[in-house]
Amino acid sequence: MNVLTIMSCLVGTAWVCGPQVPCYLYYGVANRQDLVQGRIGIIEPDFPTSAKIVFYRHLTGLGLSPENQTQVLQYWARFWRYGHNPLPYHPSSEPEPLQLWFQARAGVPGAGPNPPINPFDMQDFTEYVNCGDDAFRSAAHRLTQFLNQHGAGPAIQEWLRGQDAVFCHCGPTPASDFPAPIQEDWPDWLKQERQYQLASAAFYAGDLASAAEQFRVIENNPQSPYNSIGGYLAARALFRRAQFADSASEGLAIAQQALDQINAYLANSPALLLDAQKLRLRILARFFGASALTELGKILSQPGSIENFEVVLWQYVNLFEAGFQPQQPDPLFTWLSSFSSGRAGNLESSNPNRLTQLYSVKADDPQLSALLAWVDTLQPDNPAYATALARAISLNTQSGHLQAARRHWAKLQQFAATRPEDIPLANECASLGLSLCEDWPSLFARLPRKVWATDFQTDFGQSVEWNFDQDALALFNSYLPLNRWIQFAQSPHLPERLRLGVAEVAMTRALLLQDFQALEAITKLLPKTNAYQSVSEHLLTLTDPEETKIQTVFFLLQNPGLTIELRANRFEWVDPAYSDSIRGNWWPSQIQYFYGWRAPYAESKGQGLLKIPVVVTGNEQDQAEQELQKLKQCVPAPDYMTRQWLALAESYPNHPLIAEGLFLAIRATRYGERGEQTSQWSRRAFTLLHKRYPDSEWAKKAKYWY
């Protein structure tokens, strides 16, 4: 995978106020069903922890049962935003639980209007769900059942008054109403229900010690229909009390009571077995991290189907990513830590551990030859096959063993051909094979990446199919001379969108480099918009060098959409006259920005140092560097264009475009990316415009300098 792969998008996007740039994904797990079933492509150390745990189970031969596969997919549907998921979220057609309760409540004569109910409470300025959906569903179900069994008499009305008094404690506003005490003349069913309502009201009101004690009484009451869940509810009350404790020591002591309570409940073949197991895991994870991680690791490493797999996976991921250590090292934790960090340490020889060692060694490590020999023994049905090949290609490329790298790349390419639907795998092949190219058609074919996910659609509501990743952008912006840009843009078999984007940027570079022969070739590749036609039909027909210079700078000033560097999100529009209202116009204000594109080739990150493709000769790199040095004189864009136009204004004060050009220069200093001297140039243009052309329409439009 490219060393600058954007993995943050896999786990979510932080939305901020301001422009939202699409985050394109080229690598990852496009089809999660393949991963859970063991049809595995390339897994990287920076993939989500849950994906690596699934990968580990397949590496060790444990696999996942059909039930566990479904549970993992359900987990990913909640926590993994991108990629195909065979279990997409479908909103239920059932009414909201609170509405279900109100509908059932309306069936009681004299019930009156629905009281206000806020399911959310507050604790230390944090909002949490106090009365969950199940509370309203259960209450609606019980009320309907009681109406059918006992009719709409006084007992039902008393039950409803009690339940209203329970739900009034859901929200953050303190309530004084509690269910009335049990009366001797009530029917037995109502007495048992009131006992449960009193305990529930105490729970929602935050009197958790009392609630826990009342639920224990219910547990020991053989007449109560809730005695089979009383112990579970007592443990839940203690757990919440521990979370809200005034001090850590107090919370830990109460959590131990909750743990003892749920263990005792589980020892008696409880009715709520799965719920109780989940609660126990939550208590362990919240207050006993090391022991919880140890227990969860054992569960995740056991063969066969695992109960509550979704919850076990969720808790383990949370604890692992929070930095907890198990009480004693276990194979899963050791492998997960080593593979994620790239530090293998002393690991026993095994399928997963050798893979970890492969990711931890450097290109000059003495162990490398033995590990590469292990890679050669792998077969395509081995879960480590594609991942090991990818790492072997990278290491061989770094060490200069290009023939060995090409041999492994051919095997990976053949493997990818058997899985044409796996877009990330195809992108991995293109990225890993980029440095191995020996001819230009191969290089151009491997530069584009197919987008398999993005955080939102483009400005015009159209999905982006092809784009450039950072390795391609680095080559174009820093290492390829202008003639290679043109050659790419002329390649008919490459994505039109990318060819057009390259041609647009190449045109601006040609203008600034005053390479009119290249400019003529480029304009033939661009759409016939007004801006591009003005270049091909007017600028290129001029014979006077000075008029050509005037028209060139004027064209630059007119078109804020022009730039001299490719960006991943560059291809959302083709009109160079487009103006970004928040200064995203023309080109960056510091040339160091372009040199920053060299990072994939100049720094060792992730899976290692990328190599400039051998097809890009030293002479071509030197030519690209010379062009870059000339472009360095053209930044910041507002300063460069204003400086040029002021010089032209002094030489040709009577030229009909000078006044308009001064106005456009002032506009550029406002909306372009500014430098330290931009304000001075803006003021000089403003002063000259109002001094020399005070009655022009352009002076009237230019009310300020910036």
Side-chain angles (χ1 to χ4, degrees):
M1 180 189 299
N2 186 285
V3 296
L4 295 183
T5 299
I6 308 172
M7 290 305 303
S8 62
C9 295
L10 282 173
V11 294
T13 300
W15 298 107
V16 296
C17 182
Q20 296 173 354
V21 178
C23 179
Y24 301 120
L25 299 182
Y26 314 106
Y27 315 101
V29 180
N31 192 319
R32 304 170 196 171
Q33 183 107 44
D34 285 347
L35 178 55
V36 298
Q37 292 179 349
R39 296 185 71 247
I40 297 172
I42 297 173
I43 302 295
E44 293 288 345
D46 55 0
F47 274 25
T49 303
S50 58
K52 288 181 286 191
I53 292 173
V54 172
F55 183 39
Y56 175 81
R57 285 188 62 88
H58 287 296
L59 283 174
T60 54
L62 294 172
L64 293 174
S65 69
E67 296 81 8
N68 289 164
Q69 291 178 20
T70 301
Q71 290 172 321
V72 173
L73 293 171
Q74 290 171 339
Y75 170 84
W76 285 339
R78 295 170 56 199
F79 295 109
W80 198 350
R81 288 183 59 186
Y82 301 106
H84 169 70
N85 188 42
L87 294 177
Y89 172 72
H90 294 295
S92 173
S93 59
E94 180 185 73
E96 289 293 325
L98 184 57
Q99 295 304 314
L100 282 176
W101 162 243
F102 286 150
Q103 290 174 11
R105 188 180 180 280
V108 178
N114 294 327
I117 298 176
N118 181 0
F120 299 93
D121 203 350
M122 296 282 291
Q123 178 73 19
D124 296 331
F125 305 103
T126 300
E127 189 177 71
Y128 65 95
V129 177
N130 192 18
C131 297
D133 290 346
D134 285 345
F136 300 115
R137 290 194 189 97
S138 175
H141 173 74
R142 298 199 315 273
L143 178 54
T144 302
Q145 182 182 29
F146 296 151
L147 281 168
N148 292 334
Q149 292 176 350
H150 308 295
I156 286 292
Q157 294 174 345
E158 178 58 37
W159 183 92
L160 180 59
R161 284 192 290 271
Q163 196 61 38
D164 283 343
V166 170
F167 287 149
C168 75
H169 293 281
C170 292
T173 304
S176 57
D177 290 342
F178 278 87
I182 298 172
Q183 303 297 315
E184 287 298 325
D185 59 345
W186 286 356
D188 289 340
W189 73 266
L190 181 57
K191 292 179 181 178
Q192 307 304 331
E193 284 293 319
R194 183 50 50 89
Q195 185 183 38
Y196 178 72
Q197 288 176 333
L198 286 166
S200 300
F203 179 84
Y204 294 136
D207 189 359
L208 298 169
S210 174
E213 185 57 38
Q214 292 184 62
F215 283 128
R216 287 197 192 97
V217 171
I218 291 173
E219 180 184 27
N220 295 318
N221 178 7
Q223 304 301 319
S224 174
Y226 305 103
N227 70 333
S228 63
I229 64 173
Y232 165 79
L233 295 173
R236 195 176 70 157
L238 289 169
F239 179 45
R240 181 175 287 190
R241 185 183 170 208
Q243 292 175 290
F244 294 161
D246 293 331
S247 67
S249 58
E250 180 186 3
L252 187 61
I254 299 173
Q256 186 61 56
Q257 296 177 31
L259 187 60
D260 293 342
Q261 174 69 44
I262 200 65
N263 284 336
Y265 179 73
L266 283 167
N268 295 313
S269 301
L272 297 179
L273 175 61
L274 294 181
D275 291 300
Q277 290 174 339
K278 291 179 184 179
L279 179 59
R280 182 176 181 277
L281 291 175
R282 291 180 62 198
I283 296 170
L284 283 171
R286 175 65 175 81
F287 289 98
F288 307 97
S291 60
L293 196 64
T294 301
E295 182 169 333
L296 292 166
K298 291 179 180 178
I299 296 173
L300 287 172
S301 300
Q302 70 186 32
S305 186
I306 298 173
E307 291 184 342
N308 279 318
F309 189 77
E310 179 183 356
V311 176
V312 172
L313 183 64
W314 175 56
Q315 296 290 5
Y316 190 93
V317 168
N318 287 341
L319 291 170
F320 179 84
E321 294 181 350
F324 282 97
Q325 301 278 332
Q327 293 171 322
Q328 55 187 13
D330 63 83
L332 171 60
F333 181 85
T334 301
W335 179 84
L336 201 56
S337 301
S338 302
F339 185 68
S340 300
S341 65
R343 295 190 294 272
N346 296 319
L347 296 176
E348 298 178 358
S349 295
S350 65
N351 205 35
N353 289 344
R354 281 178 175 166
L355 187 63
T356 298
Q357 290 169 340
L358 192 65
Y359 269 82
S360 67
V361 299
K362 298 185 182 302
D364 57 354
D365 195 300
Q367 292 183 321
L368 180 58
S369 59
L371 290 170
L372 292 177
W374 168 74
V375 173
D376 288 332
T377 67
L378 299 177
Q379 298 300 312
D381 59 352
N382 191 307
Y385 183 74
T387 304
L389 280 177
R391 181 59 175 164
I393 295 166
S394 178
L395 289 168
N396 277 320
T397 302
Q398 294 170 39
S399 61
H401 298 117
L402 298 187
Q403 291 305 317
R406 291 189 181 102
R407 179 170 55 83
H408 284 128
W409 186 84
K411 293 174 71 174
L412 184 63
Q413 183 78 345
Q414 186 177 12
F415 177 77
T418 66
R419 306 175 63 176
E421 77 287 348
D422 195 335
I423 295 173
L425 181 58
N427 287 336
E428 294 273 12
C429 287
S431 178
L432 290 165
L434 193 62
S435 298
L436 307 176
C437 292
E438 298 180 281
D439 58 77
W440 286 100
S442 296
L443 179 68
F444 289 157
R446 296 174 195 175
L447 285 172
R449 302 287 186 274
K450 194 166 187 179
V451 178
W452 63 270
T454 184
D455 57 359
F456 60 89
Q457 291 185 318
T458 63
D459 291 351
F460 301 114
Q462 298 173 347
S463 297
V464 174
E465 185 176 8
W466 292 94
N467 209 348
F468 289 130
D469 196 16
Q470 306 293 1
D471 52 358
L473 296 173
L475 279 177
F476 272 114
N477 288 322
S478 295
Y479 295 104
L480 297 188
L482 186 59
N483 65 304
R484 295 301 182 186
W485 289 62
I486 299 172
Q487 185 179 348
F488 179 94
Q490 291 173 333
S491 303
H493 302 297
L494 299 174
E496 181 182 8
R497 174 175 173 271
L498 299 189
R499 289 190 284 114
L500 178 59
V502 169
E504 284 185 286
V505 180
M507 182 193 70
T508 310
R509 287 195 169 203
L511 284 168
L512 294 173
L513 295 171
Q514 299 182 36
D515 188 339
F516 293 101
Q517 183 177 356
L519 185 63
E520 184 175 3
I522 294 166
T523 54
K524 296 177 181 178
L525 307 173
L526 294 168
K528 302 303 180 183
T529 64
N530 292 335
Y532 298 134
Q533 282 185 307
S534 71
V535 175
S536 60
E537 298 177 4
H538 178 57
L539 183 59
L540 288 174
T541 63
L542 298 173
T543 57
D544 181 358
E546 293 303 318
E547 182 65 21
T548 299
K549 186 174 184 179
I550 292 173
Q551 295 293 341
T552 298
V553 179
F554 190 75
F555 176 78
L556 295 172
L557 287 167
Q558 278 184 309
N559 295 285
L562 299 175
T563 185
I564 55 178
E565 48 88 28
L566 282 177
R567 308 173 191 172
N569 62 318
R570 166 68 193 161
F571 314 101
E572 311 311 328
W573 53 81
V574 296
D575 186 358
Y578 173 85
S579 178
D580 190 330
S581 62
I582 53 174
R583 292 184 175 172
N585 300 296
W586 290 285
W587 46 91
S589 60
Q590 295 181 347
I591 195 63
Q592 286 80 2
Y593 187 75
F594 302 112
Y595 286 104
W597 285 118
R598 298 188 176 192
Y601 296 91
E603 299 175 8
S604 180
K605 289 184 177 181
Q607 65 179 8
L609 188 69
L610 294 180
K611 296 291 185 181
I612 298 173
V614 294
V615 70
V616 186
T617 65
N619 289 337
E620 291 191 299
Q621 293 182 46
D622 291 341
Q623 183 182 345
E625 177 63 23
Q626 292 172 14
E627 293 175 0
L628 204 58
Q629 287 298 323
K630 292 180 181 179
L631 294 174
K632 184 178 181 180
Q633 308 304 315
C634 304
V635 295
D639 297 29
Y640 167 77
M641 293 186 294
T642 305
R643 183 171 67 247
Q644 294 290 317
W645 197 255
L646 285 170
L648 292 169
E650 292 300 325
S651 300
Y652 308 97
N654 297 321
H655 195 284
L657 293 179
I658 293 298
E660 182 180 358
L662 288 170
F663 167 78
L664 293 175
I666 297 167
R667 183 189 70 164
T669 63
R670 179 180 184 184
Y671 293 111
E673 296 193 31
R674 298 164 60 89
E676 295 180 359
Q677 306 298 319
T678 304
S679 291
Q680 297 180 26
W681 290 111
S682 182
R683 185 171 187 173
R684 289 180 61 179
F686 178 87
T687 301
L688 181 60
L689 175 61
H690 284 270
K691 181 179 179 180
R692 186 180 293 173
Y693 312 100
D695 298 326
S696 68
E697 62 173 307
W698 306 109
K700 294 175 182 177
K701 288 184 177 182
K703 297 181 179 180
Y704 311 100
W705 57 272
Y706 302 95

